[in-house]
Amino acid sequence: MNGPIVAKGSVKSVMRTALITGITGQDGSYLAEFLLEQGYRVVGMQRRTSTETVGRIAHLTDKIDLVQGDLLDMLSLIELMKHYQPDEVYNLAAQSFVPTSWQQPVLTGEFTGLGVTRVLEAIRLIKPDTRFYQASSSEMFGKVQEVPQRETTSFYPRSPYGVSKVYGHWITVNYRESYDLFACSGILFNHESPRRGVEFVTRKVTHGVARIKLGLDKELRLGNLDAQRDWGFAGDYVQAMWRMLQQNAPDDFVVSTGRTHSVQRLCELAFEAAGLNWENYVEVDPRFIRPAEVDLLVGDSSKARAVLGWEPNVSFEEMIALMVDSDIRLLRDDSAPVGMLPRS
């Protein structure tokens, strides 16, 4: 999938405009890079804050329109739709950290659930021919009802975050069926990169390994080492988002690798990448055990592969090695770009 991709059936090259909410996050930064490569005008929405939050897209700020808006503020969304008239909207903004959703369940519901409705309403009122992508999540499956999980699997969320994502998912379906909007949901399983926040377990592990390798720490404290996830590379997954909005009809798709790995295996690979033995450094800490654990998530992405022509390119092993290397360089204050794959 290297290089620009041309949508099927396109006759002439016309610059399209894409609005990305949550552009300063991991997925937003990779999606912005990808859309720029496809020739889009990219408008990125970020919340007004008193601190700098554009680190992941610092290398893109002269190529995109960075604007203020908020999923809690309906008027700001309407004004953005009026001003930019986007052809595509990618709703990636959310309160996305599962442990925080227990500490701030109401705020999580406002952003991650009702925020989706506000975006959809702005589209319906201002430009109903806009194509909409909703970032759904494998956390909606929670206490899984079948293995592997596919588009037809029943949801059983196990956190306020998962519950909020279920609302966002079904309101997207509802607006598609009620108002004939081109609205899609991507049910993305865990996807990681060097741009992942350090609070998430993959990055917590790779960053911790880097600190131990450089003599800055002596141990890494984690929760449930037996939890299993279907982990892929974020740079691959954003391409599936785009492909969903290039189809003739809107639909929902599971995006996953179909392979599971335990947190222990994650540790083994990360420490191995740094030439260390994980057993000498990892300690289980009950403080990091979830109130309601999600033990096993593994997705069936056969529909996305068949309909969208999508498939993951970066393996779990390659991704973890990339993340460890990136974190070591980051702590050494290496100036190399973060999260970029080597060019072949």
Side-chain angles (χ1 to χ4, degrees):
M1 292 186 189
N2 294 328
I5 299 174
V6 178
K8 293 180 180 178
S10 59
V11 178
K12 58 182 179 179
S13 177
V14 177
M15 177 175 283
R16 288 181 286 176
T17 297
L19 171 63
I20 304 173
T21 74
I23 194 170
T24 58
Q26 168 189 256
D27 291 8
S29 67
Y30 281 111
L31 180 61
E33 287 175 346
F34 178 76
L35 292 177
L36 287 170
E37 290 176 358
Q38 310 313 309
Y40 280 72
R41 178 191 186 188
V42 175
V43 180
M45 189 187 90
Q46 65 169 345
R47 299 183 68 208
R48 172 72 176 90
T49 63
S50 58
T51 56
E52 183 63 62
T53 60
V54 298
R56 295 183 181 92
I57 57 169
H59 61 299
L60 301 177
T61 51
D62 62 339
K63 302 175 183 177
I64 63 176
D65 295 295
L66 199 58
V67 297
Q68 290 182 11
D70 199 314
L71 291 187
L72 303 187
D73 180 24
M74 184 77 189
L75 183 58
S76 69
L77 300 173
I78 289 175
E79 289 302 315
L80 285 176
M81 288 299 300
K82 284 182 178 178
H83 184 78
Y84 291 100
Q85 297 285 307
D87 301 286
E88 299 171 4
V89 171
Y90 296 85
N91 184 42
L92 309 185
Q95 190 302 100
S96 59
F97 189 45
V98 173
T100 296
S101 76
W102 274 293
Q103 299 164 7
Q104 297 180 308
V106 175
L107 184 64
T108 299
E110 286 285 352
F111 275 116
T112 310
L114 287 175
V116 185
T117 309
R118 296 186 185 102
V119 178
L120 286 165
E121 269 293 278
I123 292 172
R124 182 182 72 84
L125 292 170
I126 305 303
K127 194 174 181 291
D129 64 339
T130 296
R131 297 191 169 203
F132 174 75
Y133 171 83
Q134 165 60 13
S136 288
S137 168
S138 60
E139 286 286 333
M140 300 188 304
F141 295 120
K143 188 176 181 181
V144 298
Q145 302 301 289
E146 66 174 338
V147 178
Q149 295 87 55
R150 51 183 62 88
E151 293 80 7
T152 55
T153 302
S154 297
F155 299 137
Y156 196 139
R158 298 269 280 173
S159 67
Y161 169 76
V163 172
S164 300
K165 280 293 186 182
V166 169
Y167 175 91
H169 180 86
W170 281 117
I171 201 66
T172 300
V173 173
N174 184 259
Y175 268 67
R176 179 170 72 214
E177 296 178 348
S178 300
Y179 302 115
D180 199 29
L181 297 186
F182 194 106
C184 301
S185 283
I187 307 174
L188 271 58
F189 280 65
N190 295 66
H191 47 289
E192 319 296 325
S193 76
R195 300 178 191 174
R196 191 59 139 156
V198 292
E199 69 271 21
F200 292 88
V201 68
T202 47
R203 183 76 193 290
K204 179 180 179 180
V205 169
T206 63
H207 193 259
V209 167
R211 289 185 61 83
I212 290 170
K213 179 67 175 179
L214 298 177
L216 302 174
D217 275 331
K218 295 183 179 179
E219 66 176 11
L220 176 62
R221 306 187 75 84
L222 298 170
N224 181 11
L225 300 183
D226 295 324
Q228 297 182 62
R229 294 292 184 272
D230 183 331
W231 276 301
F233 177 58
D236 288 340
Y237 282 34
V238 299
Q239 296 189 24
M241 300 176 187
W242 177 79
R243 285 172 179 263
M244 290 179 207
L245 298 195
Q246 313 314 307
Q247 302 304 301
N248 292 327
D251 205 349
D252 306 322
F253 296 88
V254 163
V255 179
S256 65
T257 70
R259 298 175 60 206
T260 59
H261 305 275
S262 67
V263 175
Q264 178 175 315
R265 181 57 180 160
L266 162 64
C267 292
E268 291 171 359
L269 289 171
F271 278 93
E272 182 180 302
L276 302 171
N277 184 342
W278 75 277
E279 293 179 297
N280 296 332
Y281 304 100
V282 173
E283 295 290 337
V284 174
D285 190 330
R287 292 178 301 166
F288 301 120
I289 303 293
R290 292 184 181 187
E293 182 60 89
V294 174
D295 297 310
L296 171 64
L297 290 174
V298 54
D300 176 0
S301 61
S302 56
K303 179 179 174 182
R305 296 174 193 240
V307 176
L308 304 179
W310 175 86
E311 62 181 27
N313 287 327
V314 180
S315 71
F316 178 69
E317 293 78 8
E318 291 170 334
M319 179 182 70
I320 297 305
L322 173 69
M323 292 174 67
V324 171
D325 178 69
S326 178
D327 275 324
I328 290 174
R329 289 190 288 106
L330 179 68
L331 290 172
R332 284 177 174 163
D333 198 25
D334 192 311
S335 60
V338 173
M340 304 296 287
L341 284 173
R343 295 290 182 182
S344 56

